[in-house]
Amino acid sequence: MRFRGRCWKFGDYIPTDQIVPSHLVYRPMSEIVRHVLVNLNPEFPERVQPGDILVAGKHFGQSSGRAIAAKAIQATGIACVVAECFARTFYRNAFEIGLAILECPGISKAVQEGDVLEVDVESGWVRNETTGQELRGEPTPPFLMEMLRAGGLIPFAPRLLEEGWKA
Amino acid sequence: MTLVEKILARASGRTRVEPGEVVVADVDLILLHDLSGYLTARVFEEKVRLPMRYPERVVMVFDHHFSPPTEEGARLLLENRAFARRYGIRLFDCGHGNIHNVAVWAGLVRPGMVVVGSDSHTPVHGTLGCFAAALGNDSHAALGFPYGKAWFRVPSTIRIELEGMPKPGVTPRDVALWLAATIGEGGAVYKALEFDGPYLRRLGFWDRWLFPLLTVDVGAKCGYMEPDEVTEAFLRSVTREPYEVVRGDPDRAYEAVWRYDVSELEPQVACPPTVGNVKPVTEVAGRPVQWAELGGHGGCRLEDIRLAARILRGRKKHPEVKFNIVPSSRSVFTQALREGLVEVLHEAGATWFPPSAGSNQAINMGAMAAGEAMISTHSRNFPGRNGSPEAKMYLASALTVAASAVAGCITDPREFLREERM
Ligand code: SF4
């Protein structure tokens, strides 16, 4: 599963409360999507394009475990999130809703906002087209790749229960 | 195998599991609160569209609202209530307390269980010797409700041993704040944390609670203590339901063992912007606060109220500080009443709020304007959680919160406790 897109860059330890401001969590997604990460970069929700790639630092998506943070990022059209590492709740939620994400240590230093990235989620390979630099992220486990290809846990669940999973 | 490996093996019908394996396990309890229930319900009814298999394993607690301040909030509670009623799910409506404390006091959580929930502090139930993990809405909607199951990647286990005798004025919450910062945010990603050691074994049930509570903030999957007499005595006080204690095998394998001595610690304060930014109170003393609160995700336990009363007995809070007390459950409030603590704190100028999750995310209370600051026993301090992103949240022990409420600025509680010993 490969993506190629222009990147938006964010810092370390971004909590879900900054991805979706707390007071908006029970508004409709059409409204939430206009405020995603707005406190950290007011331009982001306005200018993000479908297919763009979001790059972040350490422990992205920490704090509350609500899937709404991942769903809101998905709703902006972001195709893939690449971070140094993710909060576990966010990591799991992303795959369960069918949002591609990749852990790639060193990514923060290797990209500037606006660079064009190519990302292979399965192998973990990342290439910054703008600078030519290549990085090796964490390969995505086969179980999560299956879930992602199925489009998330809901479409994947019947098969998972029927066939079980032998990793 | 460790406790977690054994519970997951049993729940997935296997004799053995290894860290890294993916298992589909039977779930004993699914905990939902007012901010997650209706979202999960929507996914379940709009996208999954299957019958609910085990409604008796699902529990909903309204804890972010004790009385909705907006029509929107009221509607959201109605939606949650209607869902609970449709499926016969047990509901603890407004005013019962913090989801996790309520579930434990109701005897719903017992050793050896697989407990899941949307709230990110769900791993706290590891205090009872459970495997407890926070999962997203889609997980409950797609596997939990229709099949009574959840998928897990078996985490590898790190053993954390705490030893030593803390100095006077240093409470278990100070130790927990310090430990979270020492491990670091993202310092134990996807690990199971086994808490043990002479320091923790000496603590009562609700003081132990503060340690599995911190696991989410260091990125761990779950945290637990193997049950002992303290755990079992507490359980007997809340339930007669049978349970089976699970303990790790003598030859269990850890990924690592981390040992810490707590003897030299000072009272600690987690400063904005993150829970990893923890400093000894002496470094931040003097910073003004307008708000103080006992309450929040971990809940204001009876232990917190007792600690605050040690400082507040015969004293008044600072006139410019608003001091909110939010018991974590009705049982805690009842006990505080019996011990006369409700009056002590009331006379000191504190305000009692209904049992709930307090000002977490300022859903029902606790919003701040830019430039204001709060010191609390919450477990989160990220900017923007309580009103303005330019407001500040400091996390500390109930002693430090109470001392700061009296002084009007962050204050080392030992200044007050010194007099106590004379
Ligand atoms: S604020 Fe705390 S209690 Fe509320 S949803 Fe977030 S983690 Fe849970």
Side-chain angles (χ1 to χ4, degrees), chain A residues 16-17 22 63-66, chain B residues 33-36 63-64 98-100 118-122 216 296-298 357 359-363 378-380 385:
Chain A
T16 49
D17 322 68
S22 304
S63 183
S64 273
R66 272 168 286 133
Chain B
H33 56 37
D34 40 354
L35 298 193
S36 60
D63 65 349
H64 289 69
N98 181 297
I99 179 170
H100 305 301
S118 311
D119 185 69
S120 65
H121 289 108
T122 308
V216 56
H297 332 244
S359 53
N360 285 356
Q361 302 185 60
I363 304 282
H378 284 206
S379 35
R380 296 268 158 80
R385 285 182 69 84

Side-chain angles (χ1 to χ4, degrees), chain B residues 32 37-38 41 45 52 55 58-62 77-93:
Chain B
L32 303 170
Y38 74 104
E45 294 186 329
M52 167 113 42
V58 184
V59 169
M60 203 186 300
V61 183
F62 293 174
L77 295 187
L78 270 187
E79 187 178 341
N80 277 318
R81 259 184 222 115
F83 177 73
R85 220 167 275 144
R86 252 192 321 279
Y87 294 91
I89 292 169
R90 179 149 180 204
L91 169 67
F92 294 86
D93 212 306

Side-chain angles (χ1 to χ4, degrees), chain A residues 39-55:
Chain A
N39 287 336
L40 297 173
N41 181 353
E43 285 196 350
F44 175 76
E46 257 172 60
R47 312 256 304 265
V48 61
Q49 295 294 322
D52 284 357
I53 291 174
L54 195 153
V55 171

Side-chain angles (χ1 to χ4, degrees), chain B residues 102-156:
Chain B
V102 167
V104 168
W105 280 110
L108 301 174
V109 187
R110 298 183 290 277
M113 279 184 160
V114 174
V115 179
V116 298
S118 311
D119 185 69
S120 65
H121 289 108
T122 308
V124 72
H125 297 290
T127 315
L128 288 130
C130 301
F131 171 73
L135 313 178
N137 307 318
D138 286 40
S139 198
H140 308 309
L143 289 179
F145 292 172
Y147 308 104
K149 293 189 187 288
W151 70 270
F152 301 102
R153 187 160 65 82
V154 180
S156 53

Side-chain angles (χ1 to χ4, degrees), chain B residues 219-351:
Chain B
K221 179 70 180 172
C222 64
Y224 63 90
M225 275 185 80
E226 295 195 337
D228 60 10
E229 323 74 64
V230 172
T231 329
E232 298 214 42
F234 174 75
L235 269 163
R236 277 193 299 274
S237 76
V238 293
T239 179
R240 290 189 180 170
E241 291 287 320
Y243 55 84
E244 200 187 317
V245 168
V246 178
R247 293 195 182 87
D249 295 323
D251 65 341
R252 59 192 181 245
Y254 299 112
E255 185 184 301
V257 179
W258 296 342
R259 290 196 184 84
Y260 304 96
D261 190 317
V262 304
S263 311
E264 293 308 315
L265 289 185
E266 308 284 310
Q268 307 284 315
V269 179
C271 304
T274 72
V275 289
N277 190 20
V278 171
K279 304 189 165 130
V281 64
T282 42
E283 274 180 38
V284 289
R287 299 194 191 172
V289 291
Q290 295 76 35
W291 296 92
E293 182 174 307
L294 303 183
H297 332 244
C300 160
R301 309 155 306 142
L302 186 62
E303 289 69 14
D304 294 312
I305 298 172
R306 288 182 185 145
L307 288 172
R310 274 174 61 188
I311 304 266
L312 292 170
R313 201 178 289 277
R315 289 203 177 87
K316 293 274 183 221
K317 69 161 185 71
H318 189 278
E320 274 160 39
V321 174
K322 281 68 64 186
F323 189 7
N324 299 338
I325 319 280
V326 194
S328 56
S329 70
R330 301 184 78 87
S331 322
V332 164
F333 187 70
T334 307
Q335 191 57 29
L337 262 176
R338 290 199 184 120
E339 294 181 19
L341 303 173
V342 172
E343 188 175 351
V344 172
L345 269 58
H346 176 76
E347 286 301 322
T351 305

